[in-house]
Amino acid sequence: MNSLVHQTLVVQLQAGDTERCPVFAHLGYDAADPFALTVVFSHDGHVLARWTLDREMVAEGLLRPVGIGDVRLRPVSQGTLDELRIEFLGDPRADGDRHHAVVFAWAPAVAAFLRETHAVVPPGREEFRVDDFLAEVIDAG
């Protein structure tokens, strides 16, 4: 069985007070890091941002608001459209505020991606290899 899952979605990016802009979200999952999802946002062939997200948090974000740190998720319904709202808070700006962006993804597409990851490593069956982690830390010095 393949231990990698990839999916590319078109999502809507809203930065600050701007209108929404379509960008690509390249979702990735690797069973070697079973708790994490990666997402790379791109537009016109340029990488805009890379984030690592907690897989369980994304699943919960489809159902209810979650997150209190740099990433916050919540379901949003607009008529018949169900979206996952993902808010990212970045580095501080010169004015003391923080960079801020919101991404709106079609919730059924995110749920389908999560189902594929669950087929590779079911929730609750993730393993954290402490010995391998400690060996990497020791080797890095």
Side-chain angles (χ1 to χ4, degrees):
M1 175 180 271
N2 191 355
S3 66
L4 303 174
V5 178
H6 294 280
Q7 179 70 41
T8 299
L9 306 175
V10 175
V11 298
Q12 300 291 314
L13 170 67
Q14 186 175 29
D17 295 330
T18 65
E19 294 292 320
R20 291 184 182 191
C21 169
V23 298
F24 288 112
H26 308 279
L27 305 173
Y29 178 76
D30 185 345
D33 190 2
F35 296 99
L37 303 176
T38 58
V39 60
V40 176
F41 296 101
S42 68
H43 182 67
D44 285 341
H46 299 284
V47 171
L48 303 173
R50 297 174 200 266
W51 285 81
T52 300
L53 303 175
D54 179 273
R55 180 172 77 155
E56 183 177 344
M57 183 177 167
V58 173
E60 288 181 33
L62 289 166
L63 304 173
R64 64 179 181 82
V66 295
I68 56 172
D70 293 341
V71 179
R72 299 170 188 169
L73 301 98
R74 67 181 161 101
V76 177
S77 290
Q78 296 183 4
T80 60
L81 180 63
D82 292 327
E83 295 178 309
L84 175 63
R85 182 185 191 274
I86 310 169
E87 181 179 9
F88 297 98
L89 298 171
D91 295 331
R93 297 187 319 214
D95 65 5
D97 207 356
R98 293 175 73 183
H99 291 278
H100 176 258
V102 179
V103 172
F104 296 90
W106 189 46
V110 175
F113 174 76
L114 286 172
R115 281 192 301 276
E116 288 186 51
T117 73
H118 293 162
V120 174
V121 178
R125 302 286 307 263
E126 302 93 346
E127 292 181 13
F128 181 70
R129 298 175 187 209
V130 175
D131 292 339
D132 293 343
F133 172 74
L134 291 175
E136 286 180 31
V137 169
I138 291 168
D139 287 345

